Coordinates of all heavy atoms in Angstrom, one line a residue:
W6 N 40.1 17.4 -84.1 CA 39.8 16.7 -85.4 C 40.0 17.6 -86.6 O 40.3 17.1 -87.7 CB 38.3 16.2 -85.3 CG 38.2 15.0 -84.5 CD1 37.6 14.9 -83.2 CD2 38.7 13.7 -84.7 NE1 37.7 13.6 -82.7 CE2 38.4 12.8 -83.6 CE3 39.4 13.1 -85.8 CZ2 38.7 11.5 -83.5 CZ3 39.8 11.8 -85.7 CH2 39.4 11.0 -84.6
A7 N 39.8 18.9 -86.4 CA 40.2 19.8 -87.5 C 41.7 19.8 -87.8 O 42.1 19.8 -89.0 CB 39.7 21.2 -87.1
A8 N 42.5 19.6 -86.8 CA 43.9 19.5 -87.0 C 44.3 18.2 -87.7 O 45.1 18.2 -88.6 CB 44.7 19.6 -85.6
A9 N 43.6 17.1 -87.4 CA 43.8 15.9 -88.0 C 43.4 16.0 -89.5 O 44.2 15.5 -90.4 CB 43.0 14.7 -87.4
R10 N 42.3 16.6 -89.8 CA 41.9 16.8 -91.2 C 42.9 17.6 -92.0 O 43.2 17.4 -93.2 CB 40.5 17.4 -91.3 CG 39.4 16.4 -90.8 CD 38.0 16.9 -91.2 NE 37.7 18.2 -90.5 CZ 37.1 18.2 -89.3 NH1 36.8 17.1 -88.6 NH2 36.9 19.4 -88.7
A11 N 43.4 18.6 -91.3 CA 44.4 19.5 -91.9 C 45.7 18.7 -92.3 O 46.3 19.0 -93.3 CB 44.7 20.7 -91.0
L12 N 46.0 17.8 -91.5 CA 47.2 16.9 -91.8 C 46.9 16.1 -93.1 O 47.8 16.0 -94.0 CB 47.5 16.0 -90.6 CG 48.2 16.6 -89.4 CD1 48.3 15.5 -88.3 CD2 49.5 17.2 -89.8
L13 N 45.7 15.6 -93.2 CA 45.4 14.8 -94.4 C 45.3 15.6 -95.6 O 45.6 15.2 -96.7 CB 44.0 14.1 -94.2 CG 44.0 12.8 -93.3 CD1 42.6 12.1 -93.4 CD2 45.1 11.8 -93.8
D14 N 44.9 16.9 -95.5 CA 44.8 17.8 -96.6 C 46.1 18.0 -97.2 O 46.2 18.4 -98.4 CB 44.1 19.1 -96.2 CG 42.7 19.0 -95.9 OD1 42.1 18.0 -96.3 OD2 42.1 19.9 -95.2
R15 N 47.2 17.9 -96.5 CA 48.6 18.1 -97.0 C 49.2 16.8 -97.6 O 50.3 16.9 -98.1 CB 49.5 18.5 -95.8 CG 49.1 19.9 -95.2 CD 49.8 20.1 -93.8 NE 51.2 20.2 -94.0 CZ 51.9 21.3 -94.1 NH1 51.2 22.5 -94.0 NH2 53.2 21.4 -94.2
V16 N 48.5 15.7 -97.6 CA 49.0 14.4 -98.1 C 48.6 14.2 -99.5 O 47.4 14.1 -99.8 CB 48.5 13.3 -97.2 CG1 49.0 11.9 -97.8 CG2 49.0 13.4 -95.8
P17 N 49.6 14.2 -100.4 CA 49.2 13.9 -101.8 C 48.7 12.5 -102.0 O 49.1 11.6 -101.3 CB 50.6 14.1 -102.6 CG 51.5 14.7 -101.6 CD 51.0 14.4 -100.2
E18 N 47.7 12.3 -102.9 CA 47.2 11.0 -103.2 C 48.2 10.0 -103.6 O 48.2 8.8 -103.3 CB 46.0 11.1 -104.2 CG 44.8 11.8 -103.7 CD 43.7 11.8 -104.8 OE1 43.8 11.1 -105.8 OE2 42.7 12.5 -104.6
A19 N 49.2 10.6 -104.4 CA 50.3 9.7 -104.9 C 51.1 9.1 -103.7 O 51.6 8.0 -103.8 CB 51.2 10.5 -105.8
A20 N 51.2 9.9 -102.7 CA 52.0 9.4 -101.5 C 51.2 8.2 -100.8 O 51.9 7.3 -100.4 CB 52.2 10.5 -100.5
V21 N 49.9 8.3 -100.8 CA 49.1 7.3 -100.2 C 49.2 6.0 -101.0 O 49.4 4.9 -100.5 CB 47.7 7.7 -100.0 CG1 46.8 6.6 -99.5 CG2 47.6 8.9 -99.1
A22 N 49.1 6.2 -102.3 CA 49.2 5.0 -103.2 C 50.6 4.3 -103.1 O 50.6 3.1 -103.1 CB 48.9 5.4 -104.6
A23 N 51.6 5.1 -103.1 CA 53.0 4.6 -103.0 C 53.2 3.8 -101.7 O 53.8 2.8 -101.6 CB 54.0 5.7 -103.1
A24 N 52.6 4.4 -100.6 CA 52.7 3.7 -99.3 C 52.0 2.4 -99.2 O 52.5 1.4 -98.7 CB 52.2 4.7 -98.2
R25 N 50.8 2.4 -99.8 CA 50.0 1.1 -99.8 C 50.8 0.0 -100.6 O 50.8 -1.1 -100.2 CB 48.6 1.4 -100.4 CG 47.7 2.1 -99.5 CD 46.4 2.4 -100.1 NE 45.4 3.0 -99.2 CZ 44.3 3.6 -99.5 NH1 44.0 3.7 -100.8 NH2 43.5 4.2 -98.6
E26 N 51.4 0.4 -101.7 CA 52.1 -0.6 -102.5 C 53.3 -1.1 -101.6 O 53.6 -2.3 -101.6 CB 52.6 0.1 -103.8 CG 53.4 -0.9 -104.7 CD 53.8 -0.2 -105.9 OE1 53.4 0.9 -106.2 OE2 54.6 -0.8 -106.7
R27 N 54.0 -0.2 -100.9 CA 55.1 -0.6 -100.1 C 54.7 -1.4 -99.0 O 55.3 -2.5 -98.7 CB 55.8 0.7 -99.6 CG 57.1 0.4 -98.9 CD 57.9 1.7 -98.7 NE 57.3 2.7 -97.8 CZ 56.7 3.8 -98.1 NH1 56.7 4.1 -99.4 NH2 56.1 4.6 -97.3
F28 N 53.6 -1.1 -98.3 CA 53.2 -1.8 -97.1 C 52.7 -3.2 -97.5 O 52.7 -4.2 -96.8 CB 52.1 -1.1 -96.4 CG 52.5 0.2 -95.8 CD1 51.5 1.2 -95.6 CD2 53.8 0.5 -95.5 CE1 51.9 2.4 -95.0 CE2 54.2 1.7 -95.0 CZ 53.2 2.7 -94.8
A29 N 52.2 -3.4 -98.8 CA 51.7 -4.7 -99.2 C 52.8 -5.7 -99.3 O 52.6 -6.9 -99.3 CB 51.0 -4.5 -100.6
R30 N 54.1 -5.2 -99.4 CA 55.2 -6.1 -99.6 C 55.9 -6.3 -98.2 O 57.0 -7.0 -98.2 CB 56.2 -5.5 -100.6 CG 55.6 -5.3 -102.0 CD 56.8 -5.0 -103.0 NE 57.5 -3.9 -102.6 CZ 57.3 -2.6 -103.0 NH1 56.2 -2.4 -103.8 NH2 58.1 -1.6 -102.6
T31 N 55.4 -5.7 -97.2 CA 56.2 -5.7 -95.9 C 56.3 -7.2 -95.3 O 55.5 -8.0 -95.5 CB 55.5 -4.9 -94.8 OG1 56.3 -4.8 -93.7 CG2 54.1 -5.4 -94.5
E32 N 57.4 -7.4 -94.6 CA 57.7 -8.6 -93.9 C 57.3 -8.5 -92.4 O 57.3 -9.4 -91.7 CB 59.2 -8.9 -94.0 CG 59.7 -9.1 -95.4 CD 61.3 -9.3 -95.4 OE1 61.8 -9.3 -94.2 OE2 61.8 -9.4 -96.4
S33 N 57.0 -7.2 -92.0 CA 56.7 -7.0 -90.6 C 55.3 -7.2 -90.3 O 54.4 -6.6 -90.9 CB 57.1 -5.5 -90.3 OG 56.6 -5.1 -89.1
E34 N 55.0 -8.1 -89.3 CA 53.7 -8.3 -88.8 C 53.1 -7.0 -88.2 O 51.9 -6.7 -88.5 CB 53.6 -9.4 -87.8 CG 52.3 -9.7 -87.2 CD 51.2 -10.1 -88.2 OE1 51.6 -10.6 -89.2 OE2 50.0 -9.9 -87.9
G35 N 53.9 -6.3 -87.5 CA 53.4 -5.0 -86.9 C 53.0 -4.0 -88.0 O 51.9 -3.3 -87.9
Q36 N 53.8 -3.9 -89.1 CA 53.4 -3.0 -90.2 C 52.2 -3.5 -90.9 O 51.4 -2.6 -91.3 CB 54.6 -2.9 -91.1 CG 54.4 -1.9 -92.3 CD 54.2 -0.5 -91.7 OE1 55.2 0.1 -91.2 NE2 53.0 0.0 -91.8
R37 N 52.0 -4.8 -91.0 CA 50.8 -5.3 -91.7 C 49.5 -4.8 -90.8 O 48.5 -4.5 -91.4 CB 50.8 -6.8 -91.8 CG 51.6 -7.2 -93.0 CD 51.3 -8.7 -93.3 NE 52.0 -9.6 -92.3 CZ 53.2 -10.1 -92.5 NH1 53.9 -9.8 -93.5 NH2 53.7 -10.9 -91.5
R38 N 49.7 -4.9 -89.5 CA 48.6 -4.5 -88.7 C 48.3 -3.1 -88.8 O 47.1 -2.6 -88.8 CB 48.9 -5.0 -87.2 CG 48.9 -6.5 -87.1 CD 49.6 -6.9 -85.8 NE 48.7 -6.7 -84.6 CZ 48.3 -7.8 -83.9 NH1 48.6 -9.0 -84.2 NH2 47.5 -7.6 -82.8
M39 N 49.3 -2.2 -88.8 CA 49.1 -0.8 -89.0 C 48.4 -0.5 -90.3 O 47.5 0.3 -90.4 CB 50.4 -0.1 -88.9 CG 51.1 0.0 -87.5 SD 50.2 1.1 -86.4 CE 49.2 -0.1 -85.4
A40 N 48.9 -1.1 -91.4 CA 48.3 -0.9 -92.7 C 46.9 -1.3 -92.8 O 46.0 -0.7 -93.4 CB 49.2 -1.6 -93.8
Q41 N 46.5 -2.4 -92.1 CA 45.2 -2.9 -92.1 C 44.3 -1.8 -91.4 O 43.1 -1.6 -91.8 CB 45.1 -4.2 -91.4 CG 43.7 -4.8 -91.4 CD 43.7 -6.2 -90.7 OE1 44.6 -6.6 -90.0 NE2 42.7 -7.0 -91.0
L42 N 44.7 -1.2 -90.3 CA 43.9 -0.2 -89.6 C 43.7 1.0 -90.5 O 42.6 1.6 -90.6 CB 44.7 0.2 -88.4 CG 44.7 -0.8 -87.2 CD1 45.5 -0.2 -86.1 CD2 43.3 -1.2 -86.7
A43 N 44.7 1.4 -91.3 CA 44.6 2.5 -92.2 C 43.8 2.2 -93.4 O 43.4 3.2 -94.2 CB 46.0 3.1 -92.6
G44 N 43.5 1.0 -93.7 CA 42.8 0.6 -95.0 C 41.4 0.3 -94.8 O 40.7 -0.1 -95.8
G45 N 40.8 0.6 -93.6 CA 39.4 0.3 -93.4 C 38.5 1.5 -93.9 O 39.0 2.5 -94.5
D46 N 37.2 1.3 -93.6 CA 36.2 2.3 -94.1 C 36.3 3.6 -93.3 O 36.0 4.7 -93.9 CB 34.8 1.7 -93.9 CG 34.5 0.5 -94.8 OD1 35.2 0.4 -95.9 OD2 33.7 -0.3 -94.5
S47 N 36.8 3.5 -92.1 CA 36.9 4.7 -91.3 C 38.3 4.8 -90.7 O 38.8 3.7 -90.2 CB 35.9 4.8 -90.1 OG 36.1 5.8 -89.2
L48 N 38.9 6.0 -90.6 CA 40.2 6.1 -90.0 C 40.1 6.2 -88.5 O 41.2 6.0 -87.8 CB 40.9 7.3 -90.6 CG 41.4 7.2 -92.0 CD1 42.0 8.5 -92.5 CD2 42.4 6.1 -92.2
E49 N 39.0 6.4 -87.9 CA 38.8 6.3 -86.5 C 38.5 4.9 -86.1 O 37.4 4.4 -86.2 CB 37.7 7.3 -86.0 CG 37.7 7.3 -84.5 CD 36.7 8.3 -83.9 OE1 35.9 8.9 -84.7 OE2 36.7 8.5 -82.7
V50 N 39.5 4.1 -85.7 CA 39.4 2.7 -85.6 C 38.9 2.3 -84.3 O 38.6 1.1 -84.1 CB 40.8 2.0 -86.0 CG1 41.1 2.2 -87.4 CG2 41.9 2.5 -85.1
S51 N 38.9 3.1 -83.3 CA 38.3 3.0 -82.0 C 38.1 4.4 -81.5 O 38.7 5.3 -82.0 CB 39.0 2.0 -81.1 OG 40.2 2.6 -80.6

């Protein structure tokens, strides 16, 4: 979990915002499902 947090520490906030905007326009049902998992209150989804 420390390694997972370290990965997030390297992610710029602007990159997250840009990805959310891109995923909101997706035609892919699978991508919508992935974006929904990443948009919840906790990133540990199970």
